[in-house]
Amino acid sequence: MKLYLSVDMEGITGLPDYTFVSASMHNYERARKIMTNETNYVVDAAFKSGCSEVLVNDSHMKMNNILIDELHPEAQLITGGVKTYSMVHGIDETYAGAMFIGYHSRAGMPGVMSHSMIHMVRNFYVNDLQVGEIGMNAMVAGYHGVPLLLVSGDDETAKEAEALVPNVTTAIVKEAVSRSTTKSLTPKKAGELLQEKVKQAIENQHNVKPLVPPEHPTIKIEFVNYGAAELAHMMPGTEIIPGTTIVQYQAKDILEAYRALLVMIELAYDTKYA
């Protein structure tokens, strides 16, 4: 069994705010170690549960956070920031399941450091379904026939995952007190929980179906201001829905929709204020 891991940072044990997840801030190096150790708990449990191969995709910011010299020696790591499919790069039909580790809830919702990729985004929609990073990434996995077996993060992340994917296993390593405050397990206790949950998720894999995306989806991004929408609209084939800050794109499939989303948010990221 081949297992795919997408590892984000905001949902990692004990991390409460941006000082832990931004490379320029003083808590970042501590957070990288916690993130790497948490990934190792999952990888170790996966191999002990019968997996033959585990691919780890570093999925936070510049996507070069995990310390490869401290990573489980049998894991493989995708690291670096230029990836065609970003947080789910490398996934294909050869994987029996995916796990999203250290994830967070979507923009506008409760949860530690909740957002949807960048802070210029208010909402993502696939057709009329409102999703965040969990939903978008699970649909790409689902396109390849890969079910989402496990999601770890805070309690709000677990609620979001459970609403999207019936029978998904969730591991709550911390609770959201506010968007920048958490009541957390210690890394050791979180690791023990994750190992139990990985085993449970793999045993439960046949009860989880892939999140199959619509065949010809319309991807819509609602931005926080019109300037961001204007910049995203520079991508050919897009249109701004009149009277809104929503930019939409009709895609041939979810893979094209995902790439369009990445381009639009990259353009919008450069929005400046006078």
Side-chain angles (χ1 to χ4, degrees):
M1 173 183 175
K2 291 173 63 177
L3 184 67
Y4 182 92
L5 303 183
S6 175
V7 185
D8 204 354
M9 203 168 194
E10 287 86 356
I12 294 293
T13 302
L15 311 191
D17 59 41
Y18 75 101
T19 67
F20 288 82
V21 301
S22 175
S24 63
M25 300 303 292
H26 60 286
N27 283 317
Y28 172 70
E29 289 302 325
R30 290 174 56 207
R32 293 181 76 188
K33 292 181 181 294
I34 298 170
M35 179 187 191
T36 303
N37 288 338
E38 193 146 304
T39 303
N40 284 338
Y41 279 114
V42 175
V43 174
D44 184 63
F47 281 121
K48 287 178 178 176
S49 296
C51 291
S52 58
E53 183 178 319
V54 179
L55 177 64
V56 177
N57 183 29
D58 191 326
S59 299
H60 176 72
M61 292 291 284
K62 295 299 183 182
M63 302 188 176
N64 57 4
N65 312 280
I66 291 173
L67 302 168
I68 193 168
D69 50 322
E70 297 181 16
L71 187 62
H72 191 292
E74 298 304 317
Q76 298 179 64
L77 176 66
I78 299 177
T79 182
V82 181
K83 303 173 186 173
T84 306
Y85 294 105
S86 187
M87 300 178 76
V88 278
H89 192 83
I91 198 166
D92 61 31
E93 66 281 354
T94 66
Y95 289 90
M99 296 185 180
F100 296 167
I101 306 303
Y103 268 56
H104 52 82
S105 52
R106 60 181 172 84
M109 298 301 290
V112 177
M113 293 181 274
S114 59
H115 67 281
S116 296
M117 291 199 174
I118 65 170
H119 295 302
M120 298 307 299
V121 169
R122 181 173 287 128
N123 286 302
F124 291 148
Y125 298 90
V126 177
N127 291 349
D128 293 322
L129 178 64
Q130 195 171 14
V131 295
E133 294 172 26
I134 296 171
M136 284 301 304
N137 294 336
M139 283 188 187
V140 173
Y143 174 87
H144 295 290
V146 181
L148 177 58
L149 303 182
L150 171 69
V151 177
S152 75
D154 68 15
D155 51 327
E156 297 295 336
T157 304
K159 292 176 188 176
E160 185 172 321
E162 290 163 357
L164 283 166
V165 181
N167 299 320
V168 68
T169 300
T170 55
I172 299 172
V173 300
K174 58 188 178 184
E175 296 177 10
V177 176
S178 72
R179 192 171 177 274
S180 58
T181 306
T182 180
K183 177 183 176 183
S184 181
L185 299 177
T186 62
K188 187 176 188 305
K189 284 295 183 182
E192 292 171 359
L193 173 67
L194 283 163
Q195 290 193 312
E196 292 173 8
K197 292 291 187 174
V198 168
K199 182 176 183 291
Q200 177 184 327
I202 290 174
E203 290 173 349
N204 187 55
Q205 63 181 294
H206 299 297
N207 295 318
V208 185
K209 295 180 179 179
L211 184 61
V212 179
E215 288 189 1
H216 303 289
T218 298
I219 183 72
K220 294 184 281 189
I221 307 177
E222 183 180 9
F223 292 97
V224 298
N225 65 50
Y226 201 80
E230 287 177 323
L231 283 172
H233 180 43
M234 291 178 67
M235 191 183 88
T238 61
E239 62 176 313
I240 300 177
I241 297 177
T244 75
T245 59
I246 298 174
V247 183
Q248 66 178 11
Y249 178 83
Q250 176 68 55
K252 67 179 181 181
D253 56 30
I254 196 66
L255 299 185
E256 184 179 81
Y258 194 87
R259 293 180 69 177
L261 178 145
L262 294 175
V263 172
M264 285 190 278
I265 64 174
E266 189 69 25
L267 290 167
Y269 189 78
D270 286 332
T271 305
K272 300 293 190 297
Y273 293 89

